[in-house]
Amino acid sequence: MTPLSDKLGDLFAQHQPGYALPREFYTSQMIYDHDIAAVWNRNWIWVGHETQIPDPGDYFLFDYGPESLIIVRDREGDIRAHLNVCRHRGSRVCTESSGKARVFVCPYHAWTYELSGALRAGREMGADFDPADWGLRQAQVRLFQGMILVCPSADAPPIDDALAQLAPLTAPFGFENLKVVHTAHYPVPANWKLAVENYLECYHCAPAHQEYARSHTLKSPLQMEALLPAMQKRAAVSGLPTTELNLTGPDAIAPGTDVYYRRYPLFDGYKTGSQSGEPLAPLLGTLTDFDGGATDVSLGILNYMLVYSDHLVGYRFVPRSVQETDIQVVWMVRNDAEEGRDYDPEALTWLWHVTSQDDERIIRHNQAGVNSHFFQPGPLAEMEWAIHDFYNFYRAMTGLPAA
Amino acid sequence: MTPLSDKLGDLFAQHQPGYALPREFYTSQMIYDHDIAAVWNRNWIWVGHETQIPDPGDYFLFDYGPESLIIVRDREGDIRAHLNVCRHRGSRVCTESSGKARVFVCPYHAWTYELSGALRAGREMGADFDPADWGLRQAQVRLFQGMILVCPSADAPPIDDALAQLAPLTAPFGFENLKVVHTAHYPVPANWKLAVENYLECYHCAPAHQEYARSHTLKSPLQMEALLPAMQKRAAVSGLPTTELNLTGPDAIAPGTDVYYRRYPLFDGYKTGSQSGEPLAPLLGTLTDFDGGATDVSLGILNYMLVYSDHLVGYRFVPRSVQETDIQVVWMVRNDAEEGRDYDPEALTWLWHVTSQDDERIIRHNQAGVNSHFFQPGPLAEMEWAIHDFYNFYRAMTGLPAA
Amino acid sequence: MTPLSDKLGDLFAQHQPGYALPREFYTSQMIYDHDIAAVWNRNWIWVGHETQIPDPGDYFLFDYGPESLIIVRDREGDIRAHLNVCRHRGSRVCTESSGKARVFVCPYHAWTYELSGALRAGREMGADFDPADWGLRQAQVRLFQGMILVCPSADAPPIDDALAQLAPLTAPFGFENLKVVHTAHYPVPANWKLAVENYLECYHCAPAHQEYARSHTLKSPLQMEALLPAMQKRAAVSGLPTTELNLTGPDAIAPGTDVYYRRYPLFDGYKTGSQSGEPLAPLLGTLTDFDGGATDVSLGILNYMLVYSDHLVGYRFVPRSVQETDIQVVWMVRNDAEEGRDYDPEALTWLWHVTSQDDERIIRHNQAGVNSHFFQPGPLAEMEWAIHDFYNFYRAMTGLPAA
C-alpha cells in the first residue's frame, strides 16, 4: 500500500480544489487497481432487489472490475452475498449469471458450499482439514426497503443511521413492492469516475440532453426554484414528504455513508418522466396522485436513483477496466403492475435510454480529451458542486483529509 | 520527468553508436509515453495543405497518439491549430473529422470557442471567471508554400531559417498550387520509430521493393551516381535547381529543424514514379519538361516528401500506441488538374500503394523480431546513415548529446 | 535483474508452502516477462518430431511468448534450432510457419543465412564486417528417440543423464517411428502456469472430466492401486517395463531436468483411451498386445505425454501473453499407419478433444477467480503434490531454494 499511497499523495498534491482531477486519475492502471481495492471493495454497492430472488436457493451474480459476488437467498430466507472465489485454488464457484441452487459446487475440484457459504466438505483434503475454516468469504449485506446493498469488505461504511433517516422519506414509494422490469447496459470507453462525475452534475443537461431538458427543471436552478412551491403542495396532497435530506459530502456521517433525498418539480404538463408527460405505470406505494415531481436518491456514494410517481430508475457505473465502464440503468415499477396492461416497456424506458445514449457519447469524448498530455483540469462550475464532494470522498478512501 | 530521464539514460547507455536501439525503445509503454511528450508534442508535424481549408471556418482534425488538433482557418483568414481539449473538464471540443464551423461548441457543457480559439463565454461560471484566461491552447503554425506545419508546444524547434533556405529549391514545384487527391492509411503493428527508420534508409529497397527498385536508383548509390550528371542537365533545362541542401543530423540548425532537398535520377525510361515510366499528371509549378528525377524533401524530422515532376507523395508515421502506427501516404497534384482528364487516381497511387504494402509487411516482421528477449541490436550499414542521425535527434529530445 | 528479483523475493515470501501461489504470479506483466526470460528461455521445450523435417532444408517454426525458433534439418542432416531474429536489425528471418529452404533470406535487407545458421554475407556492410561474427543465435537441441527438444539459452538444464535413464523404459513404444497426425490448439484466457497446474493434478479429473473419468483410474488412487497388479502382468507379457522412474521435484538431477515414467491401469474393458474401449490404431513399437494401461511421461518440466498402447498424446502450454495461453495437444501414431485403414482421426482425437475443452473452461474460470483482489491461495490436496514440485522448480529458476 505504501508505494501507491506515496504516488497518490503526489497526484493529489497536484489537484487544485475546485478543479477536475489530474489526468493520471483517469489513465493509470495503478490508479484503477487502487480504485477497485480502496473504493469499490470498501463501499456499499446496490446490486438489485430482493424480488429477484424470492425463494431459498435463488441467486444472481454481480460482477465489477475483477470481482464477482453471488447474491443468494439462503435456507433461512436471508439474503447473503458471497465472494465468488473458491477457497481452494481460486476458481469462480458459480458461473451462471442467475439461477436456483441447492449448493454451490466449484466446477474445478467440486468443493461444495452451502447456500450460507459454509464449505460442506473438502474432498480428500486429509484429516487435519477443517471445512469450518474454508467457507466462502462473505460480503456485508443491507436491505433497505427491498433494495439490496452489499459491501465486500468487513470494514463497511456505517450506513445504518443514514438509511434510518432516509426510510420515512422513501416509505410512501413502497420500495419493498417494486420489481425490476428492464436493465440496460451502456458500455463507455472511459474511466468509471468520469461516468460518476457525469451523473453528479446537471450543468451539462441543457446542452447535452434535449429530451430530458424539456421536462426536467434540474438543468435550471432558477426555474426549479420557481416551480418548487406548487409541486410541494401537490406532493403533500399525494402523500409524499417534501423534506430534503442531505447527508453527503461534509455532512456525511462517515465517508461512503452518503445518503440524499430531494424532490424537485418537472415542468408543467409532465406528470412523470415520459415523452408525452402522461403516466407510464400505476402510482407507486401509497401515493394518491401525480405531483409532477421527481426525487433524487443516493444510497451511498456509488448508487443513484431517480424516483418518479410511477416508476424508479436506478444507476450504477460499473468499472470493467481503466477505460471501460458499464453504465447500468435499471427500471422498476410496482410489483403488481402487468406488462402490456399497466405499462409499456418501450414508453417506460424511452427517456433514460436516449439520455444514457447521450451520456455515453459525452463521457467518451471527455475521456478522449483527458487522455491528451495537454489536458489541464479546469474550474468546476457552481452546478458541479457534487463533484467536489465526490473528490473529497475519494480522498478520504485513500486516507487524505478533505480539500 | 526525473525517473524517466534516469531510465532513458540507462537505456541510452546500452545503445552502441552505429547500432540499432535496444529492445525496450520499441516495446515499453513508458518509452511510448515519453515519445509522445518529448518528440511528437515538441516537433513540427506536417498535417496538410491550406487548400483543404480555403474559407474561414473550414477545419479538419489531426490526431496522433492521445492528441487531437483542430486545424482551422479563422475569420481573418489565418490558419490556426488548437488543442482539441476543452479548458473546462477536458472533453474533445470538436468531434467531426472535418467541416465548416462558426464557433466550436464543446458537446459536454457548451463552452463556446471562437475560430481564433478564444472562449466566448463560460456559461454560469460566476463573476470571478474571466473567459480571456480560458481559450483553447494554441499549437504553433508555420505555412511553407501552402504546406501546414504545426508544433503543439510553445518551444517549437526554430525551423524558419532552414525553411528559408529550402524555399528557392522547391519554388519551381509550386507547392502553393497543389491539392491532396488521395490519402491512404497503412496501419502496422509496430512502434512508430521502426516505421521512420524504414523510411530513412534504402538499404532495404532492392530486396524488399521490386516495383520501386525497377525505376528508382536510390537503392544503388553507384548506379545513381552514374546517372546523376545527365539528369542534372535535364533538370536545369526544365527549370529545377539541382543544388543539394542537407541541414540534417550534425548539420541541422537545431534538433528538429532538419531540412533536406536532393534530386536524384530515375532509371532511363522513367519520367516519373509510374508503372510504365510515362507521366501521371500535368507538370508541377513552372517546370517545362520531365527531367527523369525525383526529389527527397524533409520538413523537420517527422515529415517526408518525394517530389516527382508531376506529383508529390508525402509520408507521416503516426503513433497510435506503443506497437501500433498508422503509415499515412498523401498524394498531391497541381490544383487545376482534373481527375479523369489530367490524372487517373489508380495509376497515380499504384507505386506507393504496392511499396507501402511491402513496408507494412517488413516493418511488422521487424517488430516481431525486436520483441524477442534474444534481440540484440546489430550494426547499421553505410546506407543506413540517416538512422544514426535520427537516433542523435532522439537523444537530443531527451537532453542527451549526440553519440 | 535485481529489481525483479527483489520483487519476486517479496512475492515468494508471501507464498505459503502447500498452498497456491499469490495472485500477482498470475496477473502481473512483470512476472510474465520474467517467466519468458527465466523459465521458457532457459528450459527444454518439446517442439515436435524429426519425421516432420525428414530432408535437409525442411523446417518449421515454433513460437511462444515473444519468441520464435526455426527448427531445421541442415545439409549434414542434423537438426538445428535458430533464434528467428536477424542479427542486423532484428527482423524475423523466416516468416512461413513451415517449408523447405536452401538458405534463409531476411525479408528486410536480404541478410542470408545458411541452414546451419551461419551468415553467408552481409550485403554492403563494409570491409571490417566479418560474417562469421553474425550467424543466427543457436538454441540447444536434443533428440530423444525422434522427439525434438530445444532450449534457447546456452545454459540448458543438464537433461542427458535423466533421458538416458528414461530411454530403456520408452524403447518398446518406438518413439522414433511415430508421426504427428493431428495438432489442436485450445487458447485459454489464463496464465500459462494455471494451465500447467491443471495438467499436473488429477484431483479435478473426477468432477471435471466425465469421459476421461469413465476410463482412466488416475482420478482415484485407491482404484488405481487395486487394478495395478493385473495390468503390470499384462504389460510384462506385451513387452513393456513396469518400472516407475521419478526424477522430478526433489529427485530431479537439476532444476528443469525432470523426467518421469509411470504406467497405470485403465478401467476394465478399456484397451486404450477410446470412447468404446477398443483399439484406435496399430500397436506401437514392439508391443505384442494391449495391456489396458497408459503411461505418463515428462520430458523436462514443460512437456508432457500420455502413451497408450496404440497412440501418444503430447501436451504443451504455450504462453502468448500474461493471460493468454495456447494449450497445444499433439496426437501421434506409428509412422506406417495409414489414415482410414489403420486409424480414424475423429475417433483417435475424441477423448482428449472433449477433455481439453473441459480444461479450457475450468482454467478460464480459475483465472477469473484468481483475478479477484479477494483471492487468497488455499491449501493443496494430497493429489496435487506435483504442483508443489512445480513451484519449487519455479523458485529454483529465480535462484530461490525449495520451500
Side-chain angles (χ1 to χ4, degrees), chain C residues 13-281:
Chain C
Q14 294 166 28
H15 177 223
Q16 199 176 344
Y19 286 69
L21 291 178
R23 174 178 184 267
E24 276 178 274
F25 283 100
Y26 306 105
T27 62
S28 149
Q29 179 65 38
M30 191 183 64
I31 292 290
Y32 174 75
D33 292 340
H34 162 84
D35 286 0
I36 296 297
V39 180
W40 279 81
N41 286 351
R42 292 174 54 211
N43 274 282
W44 292 103
I45 308 170
W46 171 55
V47 296
H49 192 276
E50 63 173 333
T51 49
Q52 296 174 257
I53 43 174
D55 299 316
D58 290 346
Y59 72 87
F60 63 88
L61 300 186
F62 180 77
D63 295 349
Y64 64 94
E67 310 299 353
S68 177
L69 293 163
I70 307 171
I71 318 298
V72 62
R73 194 177 290 270
D74 70 14
R75 293 197 187 289
E76 285 69 41
D78 293 327
I79 288 177
R80 291 174 175 267
H82 308 305
L83 268 298
N84 190 6
V85 180
C86 184
R87 296 295 306 280
H88 173 223
R89 273 174 50 212
S91 174
R92 290 272 169 98
V93 168
C94 181
T95 60
E96 294 293 321
S97 63
S98 66
K100 192 178 192 73
R102 283 181 304 145
V103 290
F104 294 107
V105 181
C106 179
Y108 205 159
H109 302 92
W111 282 30
T112 300
Y113 300 90
E114 306 287 354
L115 299 182
S116 68
L119 180 63
R120 179 178 284 188
R123 194 168 54 88
E124 303 185 41
M125 287 304 292
D128 292 345
F129 182 83
D130 183 355
D133 295 337
W134 299 100
L136 292 174
R137 291 181 184 283
Q138 304 290 302
Q140 307 294 307
V141 176
R142 286 294 180 283
L143 281 181
F144 176 75
Q145 299 176 344
M147 300 292 192
I148 307 171
L149 297 170
V150 305
C151 176
S153 291
D155 62 339
I159 203 170
D160 295 346
D161 285 356
L163 293 178
Q165 292 188 53
L166 177 64
L169 302 179
T170 54
F173 294 124
F175 280 4
E176 299 87 345
N177 299 314
L178 297 178
K179 66 176 174 188
V180 172
V181 292
H182 188 63
T183 300
H185 297 245
Y186 302 90
V188 57
N191 187 266
W192 70 277
K193 295 190 292 296
L194 290 181
V196 171
E197 293 173 21
N198 172 267
Y199 191 84
L200 288 178
E201 51 91 357
C202 210
Y203 183 41
H204 73 274
C205 293
H209 297 309
Q210 200 176 6
E211 293 82 0
Y212 170 90
R214 198 171 292 135
S215 45
H216 290 62
T217 61
L218 198 60
K219 59 155 192 193
S220 171
L222 289 179
Q223 292 182 286
M224 187 178 67
E225 293 301 325
L227 292 166
L228 189 62
M231 184 220 73
Q232 288 186 325
K233 266 189 210 158
R234 294 193 302 269
V237 170
S238 73
L240 261 182
T242 55
T243 322
E244 181 176 332
L245 178 67
N246 185 349
L247 300 175
T248 70
D251 299 318
I253 293 172
T257 67
D258 305 60
V259 158
Y260 185 73
Y261 177 100
R262 186 176 61 155
R263 194 156 185 87
Y264 67 90
L266 303 173
F267 281 115
D268 286 345
Y270 286 90
K271 293 188 169 123
T272 188
S274 63
Q275 188 162 16
S276 64
E278 290 305 302
L280 289 165

Side-chain angles (χ1 to χ4, degrees), chain B residues 203-215:
Chain B
Y203 183 41
H204 73 274
C205 294
H209 296 311
Q210 199 177 5
E211 293 82 0
Y212 170 88
R214 197 171 291 135
S215 45

Side-chain angles (χ1 to χ4, degrees), chain B residues 96-163:
Chain B
E96 295 293 321
S97 62
S98 67
K100 192 177 191 75
R102 282 180 305 143
V103 289
F104 294 107
V105 182
C106 179
Y108 205 159
H109 303 92
W111 281 31
T112 300
Y113 300 91
E114 305 287 353
L115 298 182
S116 68
L119 180 64
R120 180 179 284 188
R123 193 168 55 88
E124 302 185 43
M125 287 303 292
D128 292 344
F129 181 83
D130 183 355
D133 296 336
W134 300 98
L136 291 175
R137 291 180 184 283
Q138 304 289 302
Q140 307 295 306
V141 175
R142 286 296 180 281
L143 280 181
F144 177 75
Q145 299 176 344
M147 300 291 191
I148 307 170
L149 298 169
V150 306
C151 176
S153 292
D155 61 340
I159 202 169
D160 296 346
D161 286 355
L163 293 178

